[in-house]
Amino acid sequence: MVGVESYLLERIRKEGAIHISLLDPENIEPEDAKLIASEAEALETAAIMVGGTTLASVDHLNAIVKAIKASVKVPVILFPNNVTGISPYADAIWFMSLLNSTNPYFLIGAQALGSAIVKRYGLEPIPMGYIIMGEGGAAGFMGQAQLIPYDKPEIAALYALAAQFLGMRFVYLEAGSRARYPIPPSVIAKVRETIDIPIIVGGGIRTPEDAEVIVKAGANIVVTGTMLEGKPSNFKPILGEIVKVVRKTGMEVLKNLGDRPSFMPRNMARR
Ligand code: 1GP
């Protein structure tokens, strides 16, 4: 199987932007996970992420990941809050550092502790810089983040550029799960003009309009979590619209760039 990172990059290269569904094991049972993931896959979400800020039970995580793996073909990527967020049943793991944490544990401590188990399980690590902004939600609180205000896009851009220079291959701009306001387009646009690696945006995205604005501003991956936790009959129409608008807007952005993937270095524009 082609690596998960290559798969994501290839899809972004072709489509400009993709949607990923996030399932928080703390809010669901394996049976729900199975159903939600297969509905999301049918609506053409590109991958399933599994993780949650206060996740502590590895057994429950394993049961959820196993259930999802049994029901979908798209990759399952762990989104760990701590070393307890690692499961051998996933395909890959965002190997992430919370760049604006004030606690070294979330910068490098947990990663050091988790590294050997990631290797032992044969999980594909995908290096990612995680930046929490705005109100930050539970992730901001638990991760002891020095939250970057939405009206300071230049600060977010500096952290994102540092992530790129440190060799991280994706940057995640996080508003916090259930955030009242998703990351604003002014922030995404500033980060987009500053860095050359793909941008992931999540937190508080509830409508196709939110998703459209976010992709237009330069996001390559749009993550939605909470909206998937209801009954499939409730979330299906809206999720379908979100996935569609992400891809449609992504294609438009690509076209405007002259087919140069938005995350490619500016000096690598199509010759
Ligand atoms: C949280 O960015 C994700 O880590 C998703 O947020 O639950 O608000 O969609 P929501």
Coordinates of all heavy atoms in Angstrom, one line a residue, residues 56-94:
A56 N -8.1 8.6 27.4 CA -7.2 8.0 28.4 C -7.2 6.5 28.3 O -6.3 5.8 28.7 CB -7.5 8.4 29.8
S57 N -8.2 5.9 27.6 CA -8.3 4.5 27.6 C -7.8 3.9 26.3 O -8.4 4.1 25.2 CB -9.8 4.0 27.8 OG -9.9 2.7 27.4
V58 N -6.7 3.2 26.4 CA -6.1 2.6 25.2 C -7.0 1.5 24.6 O -7.2 1.3 23.4 CB -4.7 2.1 25.4 CG1 -4.1 1.5 24.2 CG2 -3.8 3.2 25.9
D59 N -7.6 0.8 25.6 CA -8.5 -0.3 25.2 C -9.7 0.2 24.3 O -10.0 -0.4 23.3 CB -9.1 -1.0 26.4 CG -8.1 -1.9 27.1 OD1 -7.1 -2.2 26.5 OD2 -8.4 -2.4 28.2
H60 N -10.3 1.3 24.8 CA -11.4 1.9 24.0 C -10.9 2.4 22.7 O -11.6 2.2 21.6 CB -12.0 3.0 24.9 CG -13.3 3.5 24.2 ND1 -14.4 2.7 24.0 CD2 -13.6 4.7 23.8 CE1 -15.4 3.4 23.4 NE2 -14.9 4.7 23.3
L61 N -9.8 3.1 22.7 CA -9.2 3.5 21.4 C -9.0 2.4 20.4 O -9.4 2.5 19.3 CB -7.9 4.3 21.7 CG -7.1 4.6 20.4 CD1 -7.8 5.7 19.6 CD2 -5.6 5.1 20.8
N62 N -8.4 1.3 20.9 CA -8.2 0.1 20.1 C -9.5 -0.4 19.5 O -9.5 -0.7 18.3 CB -7.5 -1.0 20.9 CG -6.0 -0.6 21.1 OD1 -5.4 0.2 20.4 ND2 -5.4 -1.3 22.1
A63 N -10.5 -0.5 20.3 CA -11.8 -1.0 19.9 C -12.4 -0.1 18.8 O -12.9 -0.6 17.8 CB -12.8 -1.1 21.1
I64 N -12.2 1.2 19.0 CA -12.8 2.1 18.0 C -12.0 2.0 16.7 O -12.6 1.9 15.6 CB -12.7 3.6 18.5 CG1 -13.5 3.8 19.8 CG2 -13.0 4.6 17.4 CD1 -15.0 4.0 19.5
V65 N -10.7 2.0 16.8 CA -9.8 2.0 15.5 C -10.1 0.7 14.8 O -10.2 0.7 13.6 CB -8.3 2.1 15.9 CG1 -7.5 2.0 14.6 CG2 -8.1 3.5 16.5
K66 N -10.2 -0.4 15.5 CA -10.5 -1.7 14.9 C -11.8 -1.7 14.1 O -11.9 -2.2 13.0 CB -10.5 -2.8 15.9 CG -9.2 -3.5 16.2 CD -9.6 -4.8 17.1 CE -8.4 -5.3 17.8 NZ -8.7 -6.4 18.7
A67 N -12.8 -1.1 14.8 CA -14.1 -1.1 14.2 C -14.1 -0.2 12.9 O -14.7 -0.6 11.9 CB -15.1 -0.5 15.2
I68 N -13.4 0.9 13.0 CA -13.3 1.7 11.8 C -12.5 1.0 10.6 O -13.0 1.0 9.5 CB -12.6 3.1 12.1 CG1 -13.4 3.9 13.1 CG2 -12.4 3.9 10.8 CD1 -12.7 5.1 13.7
K69 N -11.4 0.4 11.0 CA -10.6 -0.3 10.0 C -11.4 -1.4 9.3 O -11.2 -1.7 8.1 CB -9.3 -0.9 10.6 CG -8.2 0.0 10.8 CD -7.7 0.6 9.5 CE -7.0 -0.3 8.6 NZ -6.6 0.3 7.3
A70 N -12.3 -2.0 10.1 CA -13.1 -3.1 9.5 C -14.2 -2.6 8.5 O -14.7 -3.3 7.7 CB -13.7 -3.9 10.6
S71 N -14.4 -1.3 8.6 CA -15.5 -0.8 7.8 C -15.2 0.2 6.7 O -16.0 0.5 5.8 CB -16.6 -0.2 8.6 OG -16.1 0.9 9.3
V72 N -13.9 0.7 6.6 CA -13.6 1.6 5.5 C -12.2 1.2 4.9 O -11.4 0.5 5.5 CB -13.4 3.1 6.1 CG1 -14.7 3.6 6.7 CG2 -12.3 3.2 7.1
K73 N -12.1 1.8 3.7 CA -10.8 1.6 2.9 C -9.9 2.8 3.1 O -8.7 2.7 2.9 CB -11.1 1.3 1.5 CG -11.8 0.0 1.2 CD -11.6 -0.4 -0.3 CE -12.1 -1.8 -0.5 NZ -13.6 -2.0 -0.2
V74 N -10.5 3.9 3.3 CA -9.6 5.1 3.4 C -8.7 5.0 4.7 O -9.0 4.3 5.6 CB -10.4 6.4 3.5 CG1 -11.2 6.8 2.3 CG2 -11.4 6.4 4.7
P75 N -7.5 5.7 4.6 CA -6.6 5.5 5.8 C -7.2 6.0 7.1 O -8.0 7.0 7.1 CB -5.4 6.4 5.3 CG -5.6 6.7 3.9 CD -7.0 6.6 3.6
V76 N -6.7 5.4 8.1 CA -7.1 5.8 9.5 C -5.8 6.4 10.2 O -4.8 5.7 10.3 CB -7.6 4.6 10.3 CG1 -7.9 5.0 11.7 CG2 -8.9 4.0 9.6
I77 N -5.9 7.6 10.6 CA -4.7 8.3 11.1 C -5.0 8.7 12.5 O -6.0 9.4 12.8 CB -4.5 9.6 10.2 CG1 -4.4 9.3 8.7 CG2 -3.2 10.3 10.7 CD1 -4.4 10.6 7.9
L78 N -4.1 8.4 13.4 CA -4.2 8.8 14.8 C -3.9 10.2 15.0 O -3.0 10.8 14.3 CB -3.3 7.9 15.7 CG -3.5 6.4 15.6 CD1 -2.4 5.6 16.3 CD2 -4.9 6.1 16.3
F79 N -4.6 10.8 15.9 CA -4.5 12.3 16.2 C -4.3 12.3 17.7 O -5.3 12.6 18.5 CB -5.8 13.0 15.7 CG -5.8 14.5 15.9 CD1 -4.7 15.3 15.5 CD2 -7.0 15.1 16.3 CE1 -4.8 16.6 15.6 CE2 -7.1 16.5 16.4 CZ -6.0 17.2 16.1
P80 N -3.1 12.0 18.2 CA -2.9 11.7 19.7 C -2.9 12.9 20.5 O -2.3 14.0 20.2 CB -1.6 11.0 19.7 CG -0.8 11.6 18.5 CD -1.9 11.9 17.5
N81 N -3.5 12.8 21.7 CA -3.4 13.8 22.7 C -2.3 13.6 23.7 O -1.9 14.4 24.5 CB -4.7 13.9 23.5 CG -5.0 12.6 24.2 OD1 -4.8 11.5 23.7 ND2 -5.6 12.6 25.4
N82 N -1.8 12.3 23.7 CA -0.8 11.9 24.6 C -0.3 10.5 24.2 O -0.7 10.0 23.2 CB -1.4 11.8 26.0 CG -0.4 12.0 27.1 OD1 0.8 11.7 27.0 ND2 -0.9 12.6 28.2
V83 N 0.5 9.9 25.0 CA 1.0 8.5 24.6 C -0.1 7.5 24.6 O 0.0 6.4 24.0 CB 2.2 8.1 25.5 CG1 3.5 8.9 25.2 CG2 1.9 8.2 27.0
T84 N -1.2 7.8 25.3 CA -2.3 6.9 25.3 C -3.1 7.0 24.0 O -4.1 6.2 23.8 CB -3.3 7.2 26.5 OG1 -3.4 8.6 26.6 CG2 -2.7 6.7 27.8
G85 N -2.8 7.8 23.1 CA -3.5 8.0 21.9 C -2.9 7.2 20.7 O -3.2 7.4 19.6
I86 N -2.1 6.2 21.1 CA -1.4 5.4 20.1 C -2.0 4.0 20.0 O -2.1 3.3 21.0 CB 0.1 5.2 20.4 CG1 0.7 6.6 20.6 CG2 0.8 4.6 19.2 CD1 2.1 6.6 21.1
S87 N -2.5 3.6 18.8 CA -3.1 2.2 18.6 C -2.4 1.5 17.5 O -2.1 2.1 16.4 CB -4.5 2.4 18.3 OG -5.1 1.1 17.8
P88 N -2.1 0.2 17.6 CA -1.4 -0.5 16.6 C -2.3 -0.8 15.4 O -1.8 -1.2 14.3 CB -1.0 -1.8 17.2 CG -2.0 -2.0 18.4 CD -2.3 -0.6 18.8
Y89 N -3.6 -0.5 15.5 CA -4.5 -0.9 14.5 C -4.7 0.2 13.4 O -5.4 0.0 12.4 CB -5.9 -1.3 15.1 CG -5.7 -2.4 16.1 CD1 -5.8 -2.2 17.4 CD2 -5.4 -3.7 15.6 CE1 -5.6 -3.2 18.4 CE2 -5.2 -4.7 16.6 CZ -5.3 -4.5 17.9 OH -5.1 -5.5 18.8
A90 N -4.1 1.4 13.6 CA -4.3 2.5 12.7 C -3.2 2.3 11.5 O -2.3 1.5 11.6 CB -4.1 3.8 13.4
D91 N -3.3 3.2 10.5 CA -2.4 3.1 9.4 C -1.2 4.1 9.7 O -0.1 3.8 9.3 CB -3.1 3.5 8.1 CG -4.2 2.6 7.7 OD1 -3.9 1.4 7.6 OD2 -5.3 3.0 7.6
A92 N -1.5 5.2 10.3 CA -0.5 6.3 10.4 C -0.8 7.1 11.7 O -1.9 6.9 12.3 CB -0.5 7.2 9.2
I93 N 0.1 7.9 12.0 CA -0.1 8.8 13.2 C 0.4 10.2 12.8 O 1.5 10.3 12.3 CB 0.6 8.2 14.4 CG1 0.4 9.1 15.7 CG2 2.1 8.0 14.2 CD1 0.8 8.5 17.0
W94 N -0.4 11.2 13.1 CA 0.2 12.6 13.1 C 1.3 12.6 14.2 O 0.9 12.6 15.3 CB -0.9 13.6 13.3 CG -1.9 13.8 12.2 CD1 -3.2 13.6 12.3 CD2 -1.6 14.2 10.9 NE1 -3.8 13.9 11.1 CE2 -2.9 14.3 10.2 CE3 -0.5 14.6 10.1 CZ2 -3.0 14.6 8.8 CZ3 -0.7 15.0 8.8 CH2 -1.9 15.0 8.2

